[in-house]
Structures are given as C-alpha cells and as structure tokens.
C-alpha cells in the first residue's frame, strides 16, 4: 500500500519519524514535503497529499502540522477527501471504522512520537465497517 505524507515546518520532525515507522512496516511512502524545517505554508502540502489520493497515486494520506487543525481543514476542502484530526487511538479507530477516513491528520505540538505511532498504526490497521448506516451517512457528505 502507498501512503502519501506531508507536513509543514511544525510537523517536519514527527513526519520524518512516521516515515521511518511506515517503511519499517513495509509501506511505500510518498514524501510530499516539506523537506526542511523552515517556515512554510501548510495548505500546499495538504494539496499534494490529497491530489495523490484523488489521482490514485496513494490509497491513504497522513498530514502533520503543529496542531493538525490547519492540515485537516485544508485537506477537507478537496473533493473525495475525508480527513480526520486524531490525537488519540480511539478517534483513529473510529474515523476509519465509521467514516472511512482516507487522511489522518496529527498535531506534532499536541502529541508525542510514541502516541503518534500508535495512532498511525490504528488508522492503518482498522478496516471500514461497511455498515449500511455508515455508508448512508458518508454519502451525505458534500
């Protein structure tokens, strides 16, 4: 499975750790930047990741900024994207199981690396339930 990942300067260090973790697990990773921890604008990296998903270049995306809020707001502007901001394992499980989220957003200034890896693993390992009620609700997203 291919995973597209991006961050701004606030999420750069955590992004590098998540990339290493993903590769250790055997995932193919598309690193869409930023490439150095210098102040930059997060929406351009959210767009690169969501474009990868919408073009079929990646199945899932991960976006990291200081809080995760900006990335999730920017990502959810793209059609077909269901980005979820998760700072706990329960939310990571629920967003995949109930909402079929295709982008995980995290805040590097909110959570530490250990929790970020647990959230990432939960997000990647949880399947969508395919329950009719969840399919019906997702179909109402505009």
């Amino acid at each position: 499975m291919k995973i597209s990942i991006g961050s701004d300067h606030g999420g750069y260090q955590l992004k590098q750790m998540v990339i290493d973790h993903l590769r250790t697990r055997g995932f193919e990773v598309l690193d869409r930047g930023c490439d150095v921890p210098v102040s930059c604008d997060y929406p351009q990296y959210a767009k690169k990741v969501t474009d990868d998903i919408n073009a079929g270049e990646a199945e899932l995306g991960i976006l990291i900024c200081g809080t995760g809020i900006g990335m999730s707001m920017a990502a959810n502007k793209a059609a077909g994207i269901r980005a979820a901001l998760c700072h706990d394992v329960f939310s990571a499980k629920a967003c995949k199981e109930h909402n079929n989220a295709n982008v995980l957003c995290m805040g590097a200034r909110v959570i530490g690396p250990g929790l970020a890896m647990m959230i990432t693993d939960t997000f990647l390992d949880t399947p969508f339930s395919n329950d009719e009620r969840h399919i019906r609700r997702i179909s109402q997203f505009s």
Side-chain angles (χ1 to χ4, degrees), residues 36-47:
V36 293
V38 175
S39 184
C40 60
D41 298 332
Y42 60 84
Q44 66 182 336
Y45 302 104
K47 182 169 180 6

Side-chain angles (χ1 to χ4, degrees), residues 8-141:
D8 69 356
H9 55 283
Y12 174 80
Q13 288 182 346
L14 183 58
K15 179 190 70 154
Q16 297 308 119
M17 291 182 226
V18 172
I19 288 171
D20 290 343
H21 180 72
L22 293 171
R23 289 184 174 146
T24 298
R25 288 200 52 196
F27 292 102
E28 185 175 347
V29 178
L30 303 173
D31 182 354
R32 297 309 189 200
C34 70
D35 298 321
V36 293
V38 175
S39 184
C40 60
D41 298 332
Y42 60 84
Q44 66 182 336
Y45 302 104
K47 182 169 180 6
K48 290 178 182 184
V49 169
T50 60
D51 284 353
D52 280 346
I53 293 167
N54 283 329
E57 295 295 322
E59 288 82 9
L60 297 172
I62 298 174
L63 291 166
I64 307 169
C65 65
T67 63
I69 296 167
M71 284 294 199
S72 65
M73 293 171 79
N76 277 314
K77 290 296 210 175
I81 297 300
R82 294 172 306 281
L85 173 58
C86 297
H87 290 141
D88 60 81
V89 172
F90 176 79
S91 296
K93 181 175 176 22
C95 78
K96 278 293 287 299
E97 195 171 73
H98 295 189
N99 309 114
N100 200 19
N102 53 10
V103 177
L104 169 65
C105 299
M106 296 185 284
R109 296 178 182 148
V110 179
I111 59 173
L115 180 55
M117 300 318 149
M118 287 190 282
I119 291 168
T120 298
D121 287 345
T122 301
F123 179 79
L124 296 174
D125 296 341
T126 301
F128 178 52
S129 71
N130 278 308
D131 286 350
E132 185 278 327
R133 71 180 193 263
H134 297 308
I135 294 168
R136 182 182 70 247
R137 291 168 185 158
I138 292 166
S139 74
Q140 296 176 52
F141 292 177

